[in-house]
């Protein structure tokens, strides 16, 4: 109950702060207080424990604990071993459909094991990282080997996510940390079922959100998480798909133009600024402008790998309908896995936010039609850093000699997919005095804050 009162008080502080701070530039209208549901009116329930997939397909797992802990059978919850004050090591391997666990001279096999500290403030460790919560080891459902899952409370999980996703900053940017905490919490809850067939809820990587456990938590980020405890974003009665990226380049994008996903009213094209004629919030970002250069020979080498991979990716699931044909052959019988020589490339369609809608790459074998954000994987930087192109918002410059393509440059804006919250923009908004709530409403227009019930 104390937390409920606190969370509601926080909302009012935000509203009052939003209304009273007159020093900031043009402010966004704060949400109406009535937009917030009553504390007891909701049915959204926070998960008791979240399963974070730390590793899959491992032949061998070594876990340690520094204090008293239990090893439990994950199905029967039977106690198989108890570590004393000094803690110890647990090793696991896979045998057929079972996990074999070894502690000292004791060996046991089961469908899965849990390593659970007796004191909840105690950490469990694996691969030089410490984690709150407990470990679950199961046979990997999709591959051979073992899957390691960190079963951890939602708020504790966020402490290992927020500083890695938005970075560590001074108190003048705390509102952005709070906005990031709400976005990350909302993303987590709305994606809870997406990885379930793999035995956990979310990956601990950019596949979902980067999570590095408890060793390098950040005090300000932890405060931002605590002050927004349980708050998520909702739109039209559903949780928001709270995507975020490093820098939108001044203009965010509609989700369905970038990925084969359905349109959402809050993931739209909009200027990342206080209005037309104003500087973009993210304009000071080092990612705001970028240039990437390739020689025609180097790009041709890259395309030999990335184009066949693109066609294979686009022929899966629901993508063909969204992508339309990904390849048009020049003659019958060509092998699209062997693109051959690079002849030319042209941007044939832009999205309203200035990102590539379609890039046509003319190769000896035929024309590859590269759609949306996938262009970043196909036009991989020559240096390999970053691994994919910074964004899909760019123009191409081509140099020809004697009619032959010799050099290609991409001049672009932003870093990431550009959907939802722009992290560098959010940090600039915070520094200019905007509240966390104003930042969230700016990046997810029409959304409202709602508090999860705890079980
Ligand atoms: Zn931006």
């Amino acid at each position: 109950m104390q937390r409920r009162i606190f969370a509601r008080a926080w909302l009012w502080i935000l509203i009052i702060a939003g209304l009273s701070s007159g020093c900031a530039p043009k402010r966004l209208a704060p949400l109406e207080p009535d937009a917030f549901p009553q504390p007891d009116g909701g049915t959204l329930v926070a998960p008791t424990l979240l399963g974070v997939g730390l590793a899959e397909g491992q032949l061998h797992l070594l876990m340690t604990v520094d204090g008293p802990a239990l090893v439990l059978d994950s199905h029967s919850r039977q106690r198989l071993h108890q570590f004393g004050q000094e803690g110890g090591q647990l090793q696991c391997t896979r045998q057929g459909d079972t996990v074999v666990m070894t502690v000292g001279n004791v060996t046991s096999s089961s469908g899965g094991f849990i390593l659970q500290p007796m004191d909840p403030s105690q950490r469990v460790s694996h691969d030089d990282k410490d984690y709150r919560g407990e470990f679950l080891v199961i046979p990997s459902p999709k591959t051979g080997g073992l899957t390691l899952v960190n079963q951890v409370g939602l708020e504790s999980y966020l402490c290992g996510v927020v500083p890695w996703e938005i970075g560590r900053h001074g108190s003048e940017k705390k509102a952005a940390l709070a906005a990031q905490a709400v976005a990350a919490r909302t993303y987590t809850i709305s994606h809870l079922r997406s990885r379930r067939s793999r035995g956990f809820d979310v990956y601990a990587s950019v596949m979902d959100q980067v999570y590095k456990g408890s060793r390098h938590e950040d005090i300000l980020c932890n405060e931002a998480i605590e002050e927004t405890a349980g708050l998520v974003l909702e739109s039209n009665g559903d949780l928001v798909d709270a995507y975020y990226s490093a820098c939108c380049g001044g203009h965010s994008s509609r989700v369905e133009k970038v990925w084969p996903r359905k349109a959402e009213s809050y993931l739209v094209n909009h200027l990342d600024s206080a209005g037309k004629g104003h500087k973009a919030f993210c304009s000071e970002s080092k990612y705001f402008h970028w240039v990437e250069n390739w020689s025609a020979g180097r790009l041709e080498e890259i395309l030999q790998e990335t184009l066949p991979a693109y066609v294979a990716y686009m022929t899966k699931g629901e993508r063909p309908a969204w992508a339309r044909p990904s390849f048009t052959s020049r003659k019958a019988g060509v092998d699209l896995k062997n693109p051959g020589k690079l002849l030319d490339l042209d941007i044939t369609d832009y999205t309203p936010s200035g990102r590539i809608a379609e890039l046509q790459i003319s190769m000896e074998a035929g024309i590859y039609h590269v759609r949306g954000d996938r262009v970043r994987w196909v036009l991989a930087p020559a240096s390999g850093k970053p691994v994919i192109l910074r964004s899909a918002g760019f123009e191409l410059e081509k140099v020809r000699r004697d009619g032959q393509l010799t050099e290609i440059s991409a001049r672009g804006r932003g870093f990431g997919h550009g959907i939802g919250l722009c992290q560098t923009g959010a940090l600039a908004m915070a520094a200019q005095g905007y509240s966390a709530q104003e930042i969230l409403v700016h990046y997810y227009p029409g959304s409202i804050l709602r508090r999860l019930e705890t079980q």
Side-chain angles (χ1 to χ4, degrees):
M1 180 54 92
Q2 208 169 1
R3 174 174 280 191
R4 284 181 180 178
I5 293 166
F6 180 70
R8 191 145 181 88
W10 184 86
L11 289 176
W12 282 104
I13 290 166
L14 275 177
I15 294 161
I16 292 161
L19 286 169
S20 61
S21 52
C23 56
K26 188 185 169 196
R27 310 300 297 267
L28 300 164
L31 285 176
E32 290 299 316
D34 287 348
F36 299 110
Q38 293 303 305
D40 297 318
T43 53
L44 269 176
V45 177
T48 311
L49 280 182
L50 181 71
V52 188
L54 302 181
E56 288 183 290
Q58 299 292 300
L59 297 176
H60 175 256
L61 284 173
L62 175 65
M63 292 146 279
T64 58
V65 60
D66 286 338
L70 301 174
V71 180
L72 307 171
D73 182 298
S74 65
H75 297 286
S76 66
R77 309 292 294 185
Q78 186 191 345
R79 183 184 297 195
L80 301 169
H81 184 78
Q82 182 168 340
F83 288 106
Q85 288 299 326
E86 70 289 355
Q89 286 191 336
L90 173 70
Q91 299 193 55
C92 290
T93 55
R94 178 160 174 178
Q95 208 166 70
D97 290 335
T98 64
V99 182
V100 177
M101 172 278 284
T102 306
V103 180
N105 298 326
V106 180
T107 296
S108 178
S109 72
S110 166
F113 293 98
I114 289 171
L115 175 61
Q116 182 183 72
M118 294 171 78
D119 173 358
S121 67
Q122 190 77 47
R123 307 289 190 255
V124 284
S125 307
H126 166 72
D127 195 22
D128 203 29
K129 292 190 185 75
D130 301 331
Y131 297 90
R132 296 168 185 256
E134 61 190 31
F135 282 151
L136 165 69
V137 182
I138 55 169
S140 295
K142 302 262 181 186
T143 61
L146 298 168
T147 293
L148 178 61
V149 181
N150 179 207
Q151 302 197 122
V152 62
L154 172 65
E155 303 297 324
S156 297
Y157 160 74
L158 292 173
C159 296
V161 168
V162 171
W164 300 102
E165 285 291 354
I166 197 164
R168 293 151 207 274
H169 302 276
S171 56
E172 77 284 3
K173 296 182 180 171
K174 194 170 171 191
L177 308 183
Q180 172 71 78
V182 173
R185 185 181 295 110
T186 309
Y187 176 95
T188 307
I189 301 289
S190 62
H191 287 78
L192 273 184
R193 283 172 184 79
S194 59
R195 315 287 184 195
R196 200 147 277 181
S197 64
R198 311 193 85 95
F200 48 84
D201 293 305
V202 285
Y203 279 108
S205 70
V206 289
M207 296 277 284
D208 284 304
Q209 301 177 113
V210 175
Y211 169 62
K212 296 199 181 185
S214 64
R215 197 177 293 176
H216 299 290
E217 290 178 1
D218 178 76
I219 292 171
L220 269 185
C221 288
N222 281 8
E223 281 179 19
I225 293 160
E226 171 71 21
E227 288 165 12
T228 62
L231 288 177
V232 290
L233 285 168
E234 191 184 85
S235 177
N236 300 320
D238 289 324
L239 276 180
V240 159
D241 247 343
Y243 293 109
Y244 52 89
S245 63
C247 176
C248 74
H251 204 151
S252 70
S253 177
R254 299 188 72 86
V255 66
E256 75 279 13
K257 298 283 182 190
V258 175
W259 296 323
R261 301 196 184 183
K262 74 178 173 71
E264 300 288 358
S265 60
Y266 50 85
L267 297 177
V268 291
N269 297 321
H270 77 104
L271 288 172
D272 186 13
S273 70
K276 245 184 173 170
H278 289 256
K279 225 166 89 169
F281 288 124
C282 55
S283 61
E284 300 297 322
S285 164
K286 61 181 176 184
Y287 308 125
F288 195 70
H289 289 294
W290 54 263
V291 180
E292 194 65 45
N293 301 306
W294 300 266
S295 69
R298 181 72 185 111
L299 186 57
E300 188 176 286
E301 256 174 43
I302 290 166
L303 294 171
Q304 304 306 312
E305 289 181 23
T306 59
L307 285 173
Y310 167 72
V311 175
Y313 177 84
M314 277 300 174
T315 47
K316 282 184 190 160
E318 295 173 356
R319 293 171 195 133
W322 180 81
R324 300 197 291 274
S326 51
F327 178 69
T328 310
S329 64
R330 291 191 189 282
K331 55 186 180 192
V334 294
D335 181 3
L336 56 78
K337 289 185 186 140
N338 293 308
K341 209 168 155 36
L342 168 64
L343 304 177
D344 207 350
L345 69 169
D346 281 299
I347 298 162
T348 50
D349 195 12
Y350 276 103
T351 70
S353 72
R355 290 173 173 82
I356 308 299
E358 182 173 314
L359 172 71
Q360 288 193 4
I361 306 182
S362 183
M363 305 292 288
E364 222 173 342
I367 296 170
Y368 292 77
H369 309 267
V370 185
R371 295 262 295 156
D373 208 45
R374 220 59 208 173
V375 74
R376 299 169 58 204
W377 277 257
V378 172
L379 294 187
S383 64
K385 287 182 186 171
V387 177
I388 63 172
L389 207 56
R390 289 165 186 80
S391 80
F394 60 87
E395 287 89 44
L396 282 178
E397 288 172 11
K398 298 182 283 187
V399 177
R400 292 177 200 277
R401 245 171 245 132
D402 302 326
Q404 294 284 312
L405 194 60
T406 55
E407 283 167 51
I408 300 102
S409 299
R411 292 187 178 278
R413 300 160 301 283
F415 197 159
H417 49 66
I419 298 165
L421 184 141
C422 167
Q423 290 168 315
T424 46
L427 289 164
M429 286 182 80
Q432 289 176 31
Y434 287 88
S435 70
Q437 189 179 358
E438 287 169 319
I439 293 170
L440 289 165
V441 174
H442 173 65
Y443 289 114
Y444 306 102
S447 65
I448 60 167
L449 279 168
R450 170 147 185 208
R451 190 160 40 74
L452 294 165
E453 298 294 317
T454 47
Q455 289 176 331

